[in-house]
């Protein structure tokens, strides 16, 4: 998906604004912070961050004891069209959605339908056998660098969920995209087909040896979830996570579909402004 800095949605419990008032000196009545004071402090904090980070828009919700006690929207959903941010604005979760994939995977583990330590290729043979080629090691100045032999590897779901599978991210290694996927209008509509956008890329490290953050690794994880349950990835997320949690507007951010009130994406320019 396009790497856009979308408007930020924040669910915040602001300690400074919503903490209990400090204890009063002995013999004096305890001070009481009003909801108005707390709300004003939270709004001021949000406005400060909007300005400091040069954000286009910001939505804040504060919950106490399971109930929303404050909701505030600042800035724009679409700056150019002058559409203000509001309760109906559809914000992109981006990488915050990775825990959703992990939750879907662990539900299958609990149901006995997914082995975290099995080779992911058992379920997703479309992913080629991964190979890691260690970088040449240099010895003394007068010794020619020795090229290490490629190592055939196994990638597991546990490693993917922990960002230890060695799968390339966007800029930490060479990303190889298959030509077959270049003619597909919407390669991300199918999580298995989406593997074509990176599956031939070299591993950035030997699986299980170190942490290396990767979005592509979670695309592979979603394909494993789909195959483990025999149902589409999104159908599982909707029925087992979104619906039970009451997230009625939660949905994939498919760029090729028209989504009402979708927040427009922006990038940070050289001067820090959103463009």
């Amino acid at each position: 998906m396009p790497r856009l800095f979308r408007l930020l949605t924040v669910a915040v419990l602001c300690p400074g604004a919503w903490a209990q008032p400090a204890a009063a000196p002995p013999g004096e009545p305890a001070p009481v912070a009003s909801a108005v004071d707390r709300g004003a402090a939270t709004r001021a904090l949000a406005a400060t961050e909007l300005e400091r980070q040069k954000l286009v828009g910001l939505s804040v919700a504060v919950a106490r004891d399971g109930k929303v006690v404050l909701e505030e929207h600042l800035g724009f959903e679409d700056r150019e069209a002058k559409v203000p941010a509001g309760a109906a604005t559809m914000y992109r979760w981006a990488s915050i959605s990775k825990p959703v994939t992990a939750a879907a995977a662990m539900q299958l583990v609990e149901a006995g339908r997914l082995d975290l330590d099995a080779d992911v290729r058992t379920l997703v043979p479309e992913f080629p056998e991964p190979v890691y080629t260690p970088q040449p090691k240099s010895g003394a100045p007068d010794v020619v660098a020795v090229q290490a032999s490629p190592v055939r590897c196994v990638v597991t779901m546990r490693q993917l969920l922990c960002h230890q599978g060695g799968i390339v991210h966007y800029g930490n290694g060479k990303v190889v995209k298959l030509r077959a996927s270049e003619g597909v209008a919407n390669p991300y509509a199918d999580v298995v087909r989406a593997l074509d956008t990176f599956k031939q890329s070299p591993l950035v490290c030997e699986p299980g040896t170190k942490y290396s953050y990767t979005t592509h690794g979670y695309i592979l994880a979603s394909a494993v979830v789909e195959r483990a349950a025999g149902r589409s990835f999104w159908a599982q997320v909707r029925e087992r996570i979104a619906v039970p949690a009451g997230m009625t507007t939660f949905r994939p951010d498919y760029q090729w579909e028209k989504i009402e009130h979708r927040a427009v994406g922006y990038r940070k320019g050289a001067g820090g402004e959103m463009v």
Side-chain angles (χ1 to χ4, degrees), residues 101-102 105-106 116 156-164 218 221:
T101 302
M106 295 311 296
L116 287 177
T156 69
M157 189 63 161
R158 187 187 301 276
Q159 292 166 343
L160 292 178
L161 296 180
C162 296
H163 296 282
Q164 294 181 355
Y218 262 73

Side-chain angles (χ1 to χ4, degrees), residues 27 64 79 112 145 167 169 195 220 229 233 241:
R64 293 190 73 186
R79 182 178 60 189
I167 308 299
H169 189 45
L195 301 178
L220 177 54
F233 173 71
I241 297 176

Side-chain angles (χ1 to χ4, degrees), residues 115-133:
D115 182 352
L116 287 177
D117 298 307
D119 185 343
V120 296
R121 298 187 68 250
T122 303
L123 290 170
V124 189
E126 292 88 346
F127 188 75
E129 183 180 20
V131 175
Y132 172 63
T133 303

Side-chain angles (χ1 to χ4, degrees), residues 129-241:
E129 183 180 20
V131 175
Y132 172 63
T133 303
Q135 295 299 310
K137 295 183 179 180
S138 299
D142 59 341
V143 177
V144 177
V146 177
Q147 176 69 51
S149 300
V151 179
R152 295 187 178 279
C153 305
V154 170
V155 175
T156 69
M157 189 63 161
R158 187 187 301 276
Q159 292 166 343
L160 292 178
L161 296 180
C162 296
H163 296 282
Q164 294 181 355
I167 308 299
V168 70
H169 189 45
Y170 293 115
N172 64 342
K174 182 179 181 180
V175 179
V176 179
K177 184 176 181 179
L178 293 182
R179 291 186 179 276
S181 67
E182 293 179 356
V184 179
N186 307 314
Y188 292 98
D190 183 322
V191 293
V192 176
R193 181 185 290 276
L195 301 178
D196 289 351
T197 61
F198 71 91
K199 70 182 184 183
Q200 294 293 344
S201 306
L203 295 180
V204 298
C205 66
E206 188 173 353
T209 61
K210 72 175 186 178
Y211 173 89
S212 184
Y213 183 87
T214 169
T215 289
H216 290 127
Y218 262 73
I219 296 176
L220 177 54
S222 66
V224 173
V225 168
E226 181 165 296
R227 289 289 173 76
R231 302 186 65 232
S232 78
F233 173 71
W234 166 234
Q236 295 182 63
V237 170
R238 180 181 60 238
E239 295 176 14
R240 299 207 312 266
I241 297 176

Side-chain angles (χ1 to χ4, degrees), residues 5-129:
F5 290 90
R6 291 200 176 273
L7 289 80
L8 180 64
T9 304
V10 184
V12 187
L13 178 60
C14 302
W18 291 86
Q20 293 297 322
E28 295 186 14
V32 178
S34 69
V36 174
D37 293 338
R38 292 167 173 167
T42 303
R43 293 186 187 93
L45 176 61
T48 298
E49 287 304 305
L50 187 81
E51 177 64 26
R52 186 181 70 83
Q53 298 187 43
K54 295 182 170 57
L55 302 176
V56 174
L58 173 68
S59 289
V60 177
V62 177
R64 293 190 73 186
D65 301 323
K67 296 181 179 179
V68 175
V69 295
L70 175 70
E71 183 178 334
E72 187 76 10
H73 307 280
L74 306 173
F76 296 98
E77 168 185 306
D78 184 334
R79 182 178 60 189
E80 287 65 37
K82 302 300 182 184
V83 179
T89 300
M90 296 286 284
Y91 291 100
R92 187 182 187 187
W93 280 35
S95 287
I96 298 174
S97 61
K98 285 183 173 68
V100 176
T101 302
M106 295 311 296
Q107 288 174 338
L108 294 174
V109 172
E110 291 179 341
R113 305 186 67 176
L114 177 60
D115 182 352
L116 287 177
D117 298 307
D119 185 343
V120 296
R121 298 187 68 250
T122 303
L123 290 170
V124 189
E126 292 88 346
F127 188 75
E129 183 180 20

